Amino acid sequence: MKKLFKNLTFQVLTAIAVGVLVGLFWPDFGKQMKPVGDTFINAVKMVIAPIIFLTIVLGIAKMGDMKKVGKVGGKAFIYFEIVTTLALVIGLIVVNVLKPGAGLDFEKLEKGDVSQYTSEEGGKIDWIEFVTHIVPSNMVDAFAKGDILQVLFFSILFGVGLTALGNSGKIIIEFFEKLLNVFFKIVGYIMKAAPLGAFGAMAFTIGNYGLESLVPLGKLMISVYTTMFFFVFIVLNLICKMYGFSLWKYLKFIKEELLIVLGTSSSESVLPRMMNKMEKFGCSKSVVGLVIPTGYSFNLDGTSIYLSMAVVFLAQVFGIDLSITQQLTIIAVLMLTSKGAAAVTGGGFIVLASTLTAMQVIPVEGLALLLGVDRFMSEARAIVNLIGNGIATIVVSKSENEFDEGKSEEAIQAMYENRKIAV
């Protein structure tokens, strides 16, 4: 029993349950717990940039062959585009079949303030700025702000430069390896506070928004959750089978990360831990370093599903019958706009506003309906994004013969043994 209480899975599950109860019965106190959740996420973000930098640099330096680095990156991008497009299509199909917005009256539903997303400046993505933003004007500033894309860009350049040094760069590589171990030790310390972070975030969410806010748009929530369940256990499961690994074993291996994301509504809260887990699962450091950070910006499966369903849902609420051509246009627009979702504060709503503005068919004001339930769907988006990025890493590793089957089996076996001991 004592070992059970020390188990992180048990601790996080208990914290989430207590957070829900506090939010329900003591909502005012629950609202005050927001700083607890935010502090935990900030502590994780503190180490994300250096861990990404060190992992990518070491991965490229050890890979040595720049052609292989380009090949891995190319495969990752192709995979990202295919799977996220598939997610968009599935989202459109399900929302058309279930019609969660049919019968709802926009004027009678409770609305939030989305003026910051629908204003002329906030309701669009400047694509020239988005592309040029990837290259940091100041290396230190990129790390200070924790901008993943900028850190990724600089890390790749640094890794290429270090590789070009040959043997004279070995001393730097050895130092970086020791430094990376230090950061993972720090992550271990931070994760001891994961139950507190999950409690704070969940207590605030339930206390601030209340479960009663879910009733009017409950059908949309059920539709989104059903679609994401289908996507993970049918589509991603088929991909797992194609590449010869078990979805169930993979999900069990990252169960603690999934619970932390469920509690905090942020996939960033487990980014460093996920990179370490994927290496332990058998993926090479070089593939993990390139695929995981890039996937956090370009492989947002859960976000893609939500965005496509949200657009058609709003059309149904306003009684707008979208043609096949218009829905294909939605897919085309979202294939572009969804790539900017992770790079902008309030990215999901800005992407939706950009898409509605580009279509000029659905009133942008409809976004006000989604504000109240968006927080309750963000957990599902973050979890599916996390699962999808891990699977992408395994797929690219296997396709490049950079996957250690023996290491994977050893990790899975150790997981089962730990579970038996804990119970």
Side-chain angles (χ1 to χ4, degrees):
M1 184 63 72
K2 187 176 179 181
K3 289 181 179 178
L4 176 63
F5 288 124
K6 290 183 177 180
N7 183 275
L8 184 60
T9 302
F10 175 79
Q11 291 174 354
V12 173
L13 273 174
T14 303
I16 290 173
V18 173
V20 170
L21 292 175
V22 168
L24 280 174
F25 296 106
W26 301 281
D28 291 336
F29 180 73
K31 292 175 186 177
Q32 295 174 18
M33 292 297 101
K34 187 177 188 293
V36 178
D38 290 347
T39 301
F40 170 72
I41 294 174
N42 286 342
V44 177
K45 287 182 175 180
M46 174 180 67
V47 295
I48 284 178
I51 286 178
I52 289 176
F53 170 74
L54 293 168
T55 305
I56 292 176
V57 169
L58 289 172
I60 292 175
K62 289 186 175 181
M63 191 179 288
D65 186 358
M66 289 303 102
K67 288 183 179 179
K68 191 168 185 178
V69 173
K71 190 178 177 184
V72 169
K75 281 187 177 180
F77 272 105
I78 292 171
Y79 176 90
F80 294 163
E81 200 57 49
I82 291 173
V83 178
T84 52
T85 302
L86 192 58
L88 289 170
V89 173
I90 290 172
L92 279 181
I93 293 172
V94 175
V95 76
N96 275 287
V97 172
L98 299 182
K99 299 186 183 301
L104 294 177
D105 188 340
F106 177 75
E107 295 301 326
K108 293 180 180 179
L109 292 171
E110 186 177 343
K111 307 171 190 67
D113 180 15
V114 290
S115 57
Q116 60 178 314
Y117 307 113
T118 58
S119 63
E120 187 175 343
E121 292 183 2
K124 63 181 181 179
I125 296 176
D126 187 330
W127 288 104
I128 295 177
E129 184 181 344
F130 175 74
V131 174
T132 56
H133 178 75
I134 295 174
V135 182
S137 59
N138 186 306
M139 176 195 73
V140 177
D141 184 60
F143 279 84
K145 291 180 178 178
D147 191 311
I148 292 179
L149 281 178
Q150 291 188 346
V151 172
L152 181 66
F153 181 83
F154 175 74
S155 303
I156 292 172
L157 284 182
F158 195 99
V160 171
L162 184 58
T163 303
L165 292 179
N167 290 331
S168 60
K170 283 186 177 180
I171 188 171
I172 299 177
I173 294 174
E174 290 174 359
F175 171 71
F176 277 3
E177 285 179 331
K178 293 176 182 177
L179 192 58
L180 183 60
N181 289 333
V182 172
F183 276 105
F184 276 124
K185 282 287 184 184
I186 295 173
V187 171
Y189 300 143
I190 293 172
M191 282 302 147
K192 292 183 184 297
L196 278 175
F199 162 76
M202 190 58 70
F204 167 75
T205 298
I206 302 297
N208 191 58
Y209 297 102
L211 293 179
E212 65 276 3
S213 66
L214 306 182
V215 177
L217 303 184
K219 193 175 179 181
L220 172 63
M221 278 196 63
I222 293 171
S223 300
V224 170
Y225 272 80
T226 301
T227 307
M228 292 188 183
F229 182 88
F230 173 84
F231 182 79
V232 171
F233 291 101
I234 303 297
V235 178
L236 293 184
N237 193 22
L238 286 174
I239 293 174
C240 293
K241 288 183 181 298
M242 285 172 58
Y243 284 87
F245 64 99
S246 167
L247 173 67
W248 287 105
K249 289 181 179 178
Y250 160 70
L251 292 179
K252 287 178 182 177
F253 190 72
I254 63 167
K255 63 181 182 297
E256 291 176 348
E257 287 71 29
L258 293 175
L259 287 173
I260 293 170
V261 170
L262 173 65
T264 60
S265 296
S266 169
S267 55
E268 278 192 345
S269 63
V270 294
L271 194 158
R273 190 179 167 102
M274 193 67 179
M275 293 174 77
N276 194 30
K277 272 287 185 77
M278 287 296 95
E279 282 187 52
K280 289 182 178 178
F281 197 72
C283 302
S284 70
K285 184 184 289 290
S286 54
V287 173
V288 170
L290 286 171
V291 178
I292 291 285
T294 311
Y296 264 67
S297 292
F298 295 99
N299 188 39
L300 306 174
D301 300 334
T303 303
S304 297
I305 290 171
Y306 171 72
L307 291 174
S308 61
M309 295 186 74
V311 172
V312 179
F313 167 78
L314 291 177
Q316 293 169 354
V317 170
F318 285 106
I320 299 169
D321 187 18
L322 297 174
S323 65
I324 296 296
T325 303
Q326 286 173 318
Q327 296 203 32
L328 289 175
T329 303
I330 290 174
I331 294 176
V333 172
L334 284 174
M335 282 173 66
L336 294 173
T337 56
S338 63
K339 300 300 181 289
V344 188
T345 303
F349 273 95
I350 292 177
V351 166
L352 279 174
S354 300
T355 305
L356 298 181
T357 302
M359 290 179 60
Q360 296 183 341
V361 176
I362 306 166
V364 181
E365 295 75 25
L367 289 178
L369 287 181
L370 300 175
L371 199 60
V373 295
D374 182 73
R375 177 75 184 190
F376 292 97
M377 290 187 281
S378 64
E379 289 95 343
R381 295 200 301 266
I383 287 172
V384 175
N385 289 343
L386 181 74
I387 293 171
N389 279 325
I391 290 174
T393 307
I394 298 170
V395 167
V396 175
S397 294
K398 281 179 170 284
S399 68
E400 282 294 302
N401 294 317
E402 292 281 345
F403 189 83
D404 189 331
E405 296 287 354
K407 191 175 180 180
S408 179
E409 288 300 321
E410 185 180 338
I412 292 170
Q413 186 62 36
M415 172 192 69
Y416 281 118
E417 288 174 357
N418 288 336
R419 186 181 69 175
K420 290 174 183 175
I421 292 171
V423 172

